[in-house]
Amino acid sequence: MREIWDFAPRTPEDDWAVDIGFFTGDDTGDDSPPMGVSAGAVGRSQRRFVVWHRLPKGMGDAGQVREWFAEHLLATERLVREYLPTKSCQYPAEHLADQVRDLRDHLRSRA
């Protein structure tokens, strides 16, 4: 998370944003998202789109997490670019997807 915050500090609440949420493989409650990448709810007036990332168990090394996350940011970018506009046309989906792509490129460059 620290690397993400360093790359893209939190934006003001009234700005459009993709919020990255994480669950570990140990989160097994009924409300836990499936393994991988899944979209949070999209409301008509909200400005923040949550994308959940559920990591598999056994990833203790920061490099492994970074590699897994960078790979899965492809699906995150696709969600933002393709799914988000079907739920709310107000979102600047292309701009937000480009930011996700830039984060993926940044994390890959640190590997």
Side-chain angles (χ1 to χ4, degrees):
M1 290 303 301
R2 196 171 311 131
E3 287 183 46
I4 295 169
W5 287 333
D6 289 345
F7 177 78
R10 185 142 178 99
T11 61
E13 290 298 318
D14 61 342
D15 198 5
W16 298 100
V18 173
D19 283 336
I20 306 277
F22 287 99
F23 282 93
T24 64
D26 294 333
D27 297 317
T28 57
D30 291 339
D31 60 346
S32 293
M35 199 64 67
V37 178
S38 59
V42 179
R44 293 181 191 265
S45 62
Q46 76 187 58
R47 292 181 166 265
R48 306 185 88 75
F49 175 48
V50 178
V51 180
W52 293 106
H53 297 78
R54 185 162 177 210
L55 285 75
K57 290 181 181 181
M59 289 190 144
D61 177 86
Q64 288 178 320
V65 172
R66 185 185 308 106
E67 184 177 320
W68 182 94
F69 183 54
E71 177 182 326
H72 284 79
L73 281 174
L74 285 170
T76 304
E77 180 184 350
R78 191 174 319 112
L79 265 178
V80 173
R81 199 176 299 280
E82 298 171 8
Y83 170 78
L84 188 56
T86 68
K87 298 298 180 182
S88 176
C89 294
Q90 297 176 352
Y91 272 90
E94 289 296 320
H95 173 70
L96 294 173
D98 289 347
Q99 289 179 341
V100 172
R101 184 198 59 226
D102 292 346
L103 173 61
R104 183 181 73 242
D105 291 346
H106 171 74
L107 292 175
R108 284 187 170 159
S109 73
R110 296 183 51 92

